[in-house]
Amino acid sequence: MQDAGLEAHIDGLGNVYGKAKNVSRTVLVGSHTDSVPEGGWLDGALGVVYGLEIARVWNESRAGGNDGVDVISFADEEGTYKGLLGSKAFCGSLGDLDTRQTVNMAGRSLADALDEAGLDGRTDIKCDPSRHMAFLEAHVEQGPRLEVEGAPIGIVVGIVGIRRHFLKFRGQADHAGTTPMKMRKDAGAALIRLASNLLRGFGDNGAAGTVWNIGNVTFTPGVANVVPAEAEFSFEFRDTSGEVLARLDKLVDDSAEAWNRDSPVLCEARRIFAVEPVAMNSDLATAIGAAAKRCGVKTLSIPSGAGHDAMVVAAHLPTAMLFVPSIGGRSHVISEDTAEADIVAGAEVLAETTRMVLDGETGVMQ
Amino acid sequence: MQDAGLEAHIDGLGNVYGKAKNVSRTVLVGSHTDSVPEGGWLDGALGVVYGLEIARVWNESRAGGNDGVDVISFADEEGTYKGLLGSKAFCGSLGDLDTRQTVNMAGRSLADALDEAGLDGRTDIKCDPSRHMAFLEAHVEQGPRLEVEGAPIGIVVGIVGIRRHFLKFRGQADHAGTTPMKMRKDAGAALIRLASNLLRGFGDNGAAGTVWNIGNVTFTPGVANVVPAEAEFSFEFRDTSGEVLARLDKLVDDSAEAWNRDSPVLCEARRIFAVEPVAMNSDLATAIGAAAKRCGVKTLSIPSGAGHDAMVVAAHLPTAMLFVPSIGGRSHVISEDTAEADIVAGAEVLAETTRMVLDGETGVMQ
């Protein structure tokens, strides 16, 4: 950060901030540098490196004015301890976080991890709307669409909301050879029938961009010749529209309710997780499109199906996201990669977008 | 066995045989005395105790003739080491069993277990059709039907054949938020759809007494926000008719084949287990009915949905099975029980059936 001409700061939670010197108005550019275990080299880090490069170029070519480029790397975006930790702290939306009660999968507390890193837990790097005109986050797509469409730049229209429901069926274990079909309370067959209906229902009622997934199913006791006593599955779906999500929430609840009217196997459906969708700033999205056009690069407007720091910051600053293609759609694996030409295109388009904001060429006003 | 007036023998695999003295023609009565872990007190043992009691009464009241009652307790019916071990040895249908390669769930070999019990593995207790006129096995039903119908005696018409198929779907793991529905190869959704079709198909095409079960389902990697790369399940079904089983085998194979014509997710279906149904001797079944009538006890003709030693012996001797009710249909649990009146009724009907065979009152000829 110092090499890029910035003042380097780290706060007590590990947010790293490069502050442009002697200016009062900036565009904040960045993402995160933490990774999932065995994750790839671009998820997060690319957006921070773009920020450093844009700040370096700005400071070399445009120094002396009242505006500049700030860079940020948010801590623990992936949630080793708590997802979006750094950006929430930055925006003051972390609430009362007890770092001793916040643990990783191995049971180690965030308090201990901060101690070992020599960090005091205090968060003095703060979002400042009087300074930060906009937040621009570039990221790898983590999906196949840009590659399939041959577009080096994705303009993110919004970050999807997420719903996760947990459905549990309670029947009765019976010998699968000696118990006639009509005398069974088969939790497994109940799950298969209801899940099949839900998949069909989402195909009929989801919006064009809605995605849904049954990622795991468990039968108990889980033995070939025993009628399942219990069966459960998680059902997750995402969409950029809060209305669509609410309609689909109701579809799940109604399906469980209808099931319970007809069956001796009880279905208990609970919504265990809900994140509302976040729209990106449309003026900034338009600016990305114009910048890409100037750079001669094809774009595609797409939703982000995964969460990002931008969804936290968007409540406080005009915020936009730019995606570059993921080869084969792969991410969160060591083989994650992006073609070098696309990496360069992303840097150029994001730099041009940053310039447009700073030069007052967008709807985001200085 | 000696108290019941029999010569007691044990062979090198643990079959225990009580041989009637000074007679040349007998009815063989028995079952097994081993149990599943934490199993109940009646599964198996009841049929052996019935044999002892019938032999005792016969020897007290009818001694001096040329016929009598032999009693047998077959080793390892439940398959701690190998299912139906004792009855297969008795019938000479064990094949080349390597007792060092035959292990229990803890990995201990049958050879070691026999050694510790002081048994030499030799099988000198043999089925002898010139002596054994018939085999009668009483057993708890292990299902709910007799209790529901209020019948103390079940006349077993046959032992069901069993088929077990294993169906595996190979798709591709993808981020469940960033991968559009049309670009997925979702092994989990494939499983749910095909399994749902199979359950419906079996409802439409199974015979009146067919039973089927999906006892276990596994999704890989099994995470809420990852599209399942692989999904698999076991599908077991049973019927007393070999023709019905063959028709249903074909239904499974045809379903998998039709699936593979339409879907990028490959379904691999393998039949991993097949046991043919075994009919019980109809003359003996008729005799049980007549004996029950004489005893004033209601009967129900039912299939056996579970395997029994009788299915091995039936290939060598006229064989019948009599069931007594299982309270609540429970078996293979410590709470397994049968009402005392039903236990007595079963003993009386089986004793009367044995007498009818020995006195030449059935189609089974002396």
Side-chain angles (χ1 to χ4, degrees):
Chain A
M1 284 180 162
Q2 288 166 345
D3 285 350
L6 303 168
E7 271 178 32
H9 298 265
I10 182 166
D11 76 1
L13 284 177
N15 278 338
V16 178
Y17 180 49
K19 189 173 180 182
K21 296 172 188 169
N22 307 317
V23 300
S24 61
R25 295 292 279 168
T26 63
V27 169
L28 180 67
V29 183
S31 184
H32 63 98
T33 46
D34 67 309
S35 166
V36 296
E38 313 206 24
W41 71 298
L42 294 172
D43 180 352
L46 182 71
V48 178
V49 171
Y50 277 3
L52 286 175
E53 178 63 3
I54 294 167
R56 187 189 64 75
V57 171
W58 186 268
N59 289 335
E60 281 178 14
S61 59
R62 298 283 298 264
N66 189 37
D67 42 25
V69 177
D70 290 336
V71 179
I72 195 149
S73 168
F74 290 117
D76 203 13
E77 190 265 354
E78 300 287 4
T80 298
Y81 292 91
K82 181 174 176 59
L84 307 171
L85 174 73
S87 49
K88 284 182 174 172
F90 179 74
C91 293
S93 59
L94 198 53
D96 285 332
L97 182 77
D98 183 342
T99 57
R100 284 158 307 189
Q101 298 298 318
T102 304
V103 296
N104 70 4
M105 281 177 66
R108 187 191 193 200
S109 75
L110 176 56
D112 285 351
L114 291 171
D115 261 358
E116 193 182 305
L119 300 175
D120 65 6
R122 278 183 292 189
T123 56
D124 50 4
I125 297 171
K126 292 293 182 188
C127 176
D128 177 2
S130 71
R131 175 182 177 90
H132 304 128
M133 301 168 59
F135 175 55
L136 299 181
E137 180 174 9
H139 204 280
V140 288
E141 180 195 354
Q142 306 184 271
R145 293 188 59 191
L146 295 177
E147 184 178 77
V148 168
E149 301 283 343
I153 301 293
I155 303 172
V156 178
V157 293
I159 299 174
V160 296
I162 307 178
R163 296 291 193 271
R164 199 174 291 171
H165 292 248
F166 182 75
L167 290 90
K168 178 162 192 159
F169 297 81
R170 295 178 201 277
Q172 179 178 300
D174 277 304
H175 192 297
T178 60
T179 313
M181 297 309 288
K182 290 195 175 165
M183 295 187 189
R184 298 183 182 192
K185 294 180 180 176
D186 185 338
L191 181 150
I192 287 167
R193 290 197 181 104
L194 185 68
S196 172
N197 290 345
L198 272 182
L199 292 177
R200 196 175 321 113
F202 269 62
D204 294 342
N205 294 286
T210 310
V211 292
W212 57 93
N213 189 50
I214 296 177
N216 197 26
V217 170
T218 307
F219 283 12
T220 307
V223 177
N225 62 355
V226 178
V227 177
E230 295 188 349
E232 55 193 43
F233 72 106
S234 59
F235 187 50
E236 188 186 276
F237 48 95
R238 308 185 188 211
D239 198 277
T240 48
S241 157
E243 273 170 47
V244 169
L245 290 171
R247 192 172 78 215
L248 295 173
D249 275 340
K250 188 169 182 315
L251 179 60
V252 176
D253 290 342
D254 288 352
S255 298
E257 211 181 298
W259 178 268
N260 285 330
R261 277 196 297 271
D262 291 341
S263 170
V265 176
L266 187 74
C267 173
E268 182 190 305
R270 281 185 300 134
R271 198 177 79 171
I272 57 174
F273 184 67
V275 173
E276 294 308 320
V278 176
M280 294 290 99
N281 182 284
S282 59
D283 288 332
L284 291 174
T286 303
I288 294 174
K293 195 165 184 184
R294 215 162 289 163
C295 296
V297 184
K298 184 177 168 186
T299 63
L300 182 70
S301 288
I302 57 172
S304 169
H308 293 289
D309 290 309
M311 67 197 291
V312 176
V313 180
H316 304 272
L317 299 177
T319 294
M321 285 196 80
L322 174 159
F323 279 169
V324 293
S326 295
I327 293 175
R330 310 280 92 189
S331 184
H332 281 194
V333 290
I334 210 90
S335 60
E336 169 189 277
D337 208 358
T338 297
E340 203 161 300
D342 292 338
I343 290 178
V344 171
E348 288 175 347
V349 172
L350 197 68
E352 176 62 6
T353 307
T354 304
R355 186 201 63 73
M356 289 171 71
V357 176
L358 290 171
D359 286 344
E361 297 176 13
T362 70
V364 175
M365 301 310 290
Q366 195 159 9
Chain B
M1 285 181 161
Q2 288 166 345
D3 286 350
L6 303 167
E7 273 179 33
H9 298 265
I10 183 166
D11 76 2
L13 284 177
N15 278 337
V16 178
Y17 180 49
K19 189 174 181 183
K21 296 171 185 168
N22 307 316
V23 300
S24 61
R25 295 292 277 167
T26 63
V27 170
L28 179 67
V29 184
S31 184
H32 63 97
T33 46
D34 67 308
S35 166
V36 295
E38 313 206 23
W41 70 298
L42 294 171
D43 180 353
L46 182 72
V48 178
V49 172
Y50 278 2
L52 287 174
E53 177 64 2
I54 295 167
R56 187 188 64 75
V57 170
W58 186 267
N59 289 335
E60 281 179 13
S61 59
R62 299 282 297 265
N66 189 36
D67 42 24
V69 177
D70 290 337
V71 180
I72 194 148
S73 167
F74 291 118
D76 203 14
E77 190 265 355
E78 300 287 5
T80 297
Y81 292 90
K82 182 176 176 59
L84 306 171
L85 174 73
S87 50
K88 284 182 173 171
F90 178 75
C91 293
S93 59
L94 197 53
D96 284 334
L97 182 78
D98 184 341
T99 57
R100 282 157 310 189
Q101 298 298 318
T102 304
V103 296
N104 70 5
M105 280 176 67
R108 188 190 193 202
S109 77
L110 176 56
D112 286 349
L114 291 171
D115 262 358
E116 192 182 305
L119 301 174
D120 66 6
R122 278 184 292 189
T123 56
D124 50 4
I125 296 171
K126 290 293 182 190
C127 175
D128 178 3
S130 73
R131 176 182 177 90
H132 303 128
M133 301 166 59
F135 175 54
L136 300 180
E137 180 174 9
H139 204 281
V140 288
E141 181 196 352
Q142 307 184 270
R145 293 189 57 192
L146 295 178
E147 184 177 77
V148 167
E149 301 283 341
I153 301 293
I155 303 171
V156 178
V157 293
I159 298 173
V160 295
I162 307 179
R163 297 291 193 270
R164 199 175 292 171
H165 293 247
F166 182 76
L167 290 91
K168 178 163 192 161
F169 297 80
R170 295 180 201 276
Q172 179 177 299
D174 276 306
H175 191 298
T178 59
T179 314
M181 297 308 289
K182 289 194 175 165
M183 294 187 188
R184 298 184 182 192
K185 295 181 180 176
D186 185 338
L191 181 148
I192 287 167
R193 290 196 182 105
L194 184 69
S196 172
N197 289 345
L198 271 183
L199 292 177
R200 196 176 319 113
F202 269 61
D204 294 343
N205 294 286
T210 310
V211 293
W212 57 92
N213 190 48
I214 296 177
N216 199 25
V217 170
T218 308
F219 283 14
T220 306
V223 176
N225 61 356
V226 178
V227 177
E230 295 189 347
E232 55 193 42
F233 72 105
S234 59
F235 187 49
E236 188 187 276
F237 47 95
R238 308 184 188 211
D239 198 277
T240 50
S241 157
E243 275 170 44
V244 169
L245 290 171
R247 194 174 76 215
L248 295 174
D249 275 340
K250 189 169 180 317
L251 179 59
V252 176
D253 291 340
D254 289 352
S255 298
E257 211 180 297
W259 178 268
N260 285 330
R261 275 196 299 271
D262 292 340
S263 170
V265 176
L266 186 73
C267 173
E268 183 191 305
R270 281 185 302 133
R271 198 177 78 171
I272 56 172
F273 183 66
V275 173
E276 294 308 318
V278 177
M280 296 289 100
N281 182 284
S282 59
D283 289 332
L284 290 174
T286 302
I288 294 173
K293 194 164 184 185
R294 214 163 290 162
C295 296
V297 183
K298 184 178 169 186
T299 63
L300 181 72
S301 289
I302 58 173
S304 170
H308 293 288
D309 291 309
M311 68 196 291
V312 176
V313 180
H316 304 273
L317 300 177
T319 294
M321 284 196 82
L322 173 160
F323 279 170
V324 293
S326 295
I327 293 174
R330 310 279 92 187
S331 186
H332 281 195
V333 289
I334 211 90
S335 60
E336 169 189 276
D337 207 357
T338 297
E340 203 161 300
D342 293 339
I343 291 177
V344 171
E348 287 176 346
V349 172
L350 197 69
E352 176 63 6
T353 307
T354 305
R355 187 203 62 73
M356 290 170 70
V357 176
L358 291 171
D359 286 345
E361 296 176 14
T362 71
V364 175
M365 300 311 292
Q366 196 158 10

